[in-house]
Amino acid sequence: MFSVKNLKVTLVFFTLFTLLISTNLPLAQQESSTEESIFSGVRDELAKARNQQVDILSPKNFGKASDEYSLAYEKFKKGGELKEIKSRLEKVKTYLTEAYKIAEVARVPFAPVLQAREKALKANAPEFAPDLYDLAKKAFEEAALRIEAGDLNGAREKAKMAEAKFNQAELKAIKGSILGEARRLVEEAKTKAKADKYAPLTLKNSEDLLAL
């Protein structure tokens, strides 16, 4: 015989089952919403700092900020305590504040090297002159680390070295880009226009110039 007690148990089970199904998607959405509310502001601050070149002007402080953010996010994904996560995100803000201070100090003495770096990037130096660009990048990072340590004179010296390397990388990249295109045109003339047959002297002159 079906008792009132059994009926109550059935109703409770049905209610819980219905609640579980109806809340499954909102719970996932809630987790996503929680992640966004916790991390979006700090993530935006990191992106803003990169856009203002704070990451290269104060690499040590910015690196610490990035590390703290990564650790906080990892803790969140593993279900860590919210208190510890928020504490790490506060450290991100602290390091970013210090990075901005250093960046403001560095912008004036580093103005020439920043301009040289920008020109090298526009010339695709990382592609056409990777060795020189890497040397310039390393020297610039050393300059930034010195200014973070309070060594302004040492920072200026390293910045001049970086500027020279960036300039060299830019010139090499421009040459490499132009010559690369010229070689492509010569090969195209040989294969498609049969220049070696119909204009051998012109073709030879072009190849000789490329060899200089």
Side-chain angles (χ1 to χ4, degrees), residues 4-24:
V4 174
K5 183 178 180 181
N6 288 335
L7 178 61
K8 287 182 178 180
V9 171
T10 303
L11 287 172
V12 169
F13 177 80
F14 179 76
T15 302
L16 289 174
F17 181 74
T18 304
L19 181 63
L20 181 62
I21 293 176
S22 64
T23 59
N24 186 40

Side-chain angles (χ1 to χ4, degrees), residues 25-46:
L25 181 58
L27 280 173
Q29 292 175 339
Q30 183 180 359
E31 182 181 348
S32 177
S33 177
T34 302
E35 177 180 330
E36 189 68 15
S37 64
I38 293 174
F39 291 96
S40 63
V42 181
R43 185 171 61 243
D44 290 346
E45 285 298 317
L46 285 167

Side-chain angles (χ1 to χ4, degrees), residues 116-117 119-137 161-177:
R117 176 181 177 272
K119 288 181 178 179
L121 287 171
K122 286 182 178 179
N124 292 321
E127 178 183 354
F128 293 107
D131 293 342
L132 281 171
Y133 184 81
D134 286 344
L135 288 173
K137 185 179 177 181
M161 293 173 59
E163 181 186 355
K165 292 298 180 184
F166 277 129
N167 287 334
Q168 291 172 21
E170 179 198 5
L171 291 174
K172 185 176 179 180
I174 291 172
K175 182 179 178 181
S177 177

Side-chain angles (χ1 to χ4, degrees), residues 4-155:
V4 174
K5 183 178 180 181
N6 288 335
L7 178 61
K8 287 182 178 180
V9 171
T10 303
L11 287 172
V12 169
F13 177 80
F14 179 76
T15 302
L16 289 174
F17 181 74
T18 304
L19 181 63
L20 181 62
I21 293 176
S22 64
T23 59
N24 186 40
L25 181 58
L27 280 173
Q29 292 175 339
Q30 183 180 359
E31 182 181 348
S32 177
S33 177
T34 302
E35 177 180 330
E36 189 68 15
S37 64
I38 293 174
F39 291 96
S40 63
V42 181
R43 185 171 61 243
D44 290 346
E45 285 298 317
L46 285 167
K48 179 182 175 182
R50 286 192 189 91
N51 289 335
Q52 296 183 20
Q53 298 182 311
V54 173
D55 57 327
I56 61 173
L57 292 171
S58 183
K60 187 175 181 180
N61 286 302
F62 186 86
K64 288 180 178 179
S66 296
D67 289 344
E68 289 295 339
Y69 179 87
S70 297
L71 289 170
Y73 190 76
E74 184 180 346
K75 286 287 182 183
F76 175 82
K77 285 299 184 182
K78 291 182 178 180
E81 292 185 7
L82 187 59
K83 182 179 180 181
E84 182 181 355
I85 293 169
K86 288 186 174 181
S87 175
R88 289 195 177 279
L89 292 178
E90 284 300 317
K91 288 181 180 179
V92 174
K93 296 176 182 178
T94 300
Y95 285 127
L96 279 181
T97 298
E98 188 62 27
Y100 271 107
K101 290 179 182 178
I102 297 295
E104 285 307 307
V105 173
R107 287 190 192 280
V108 174
F110 284 1
V113 68
L114 285 171
Q115 186 176 18
R117 176 181 177 272
E118 187 66 22
K119 288 181 178 179
L121 287 171
K122 286 182 178 179
N124 292 321
E127 178 183 354
F128 293 107
D131 293 342
L132 281 171
Y133 184 81
D134 286 344
L135 288 173
K137 185 179 177 181
K138 184 177 180 181
F140 184 38
E141 184 176 357
E142 290 176 359
L145 290 172
R146 290 198 180 193
I147 209 166
E148 282 184 310
D151 181 8
L152 187 57
N153 290 331

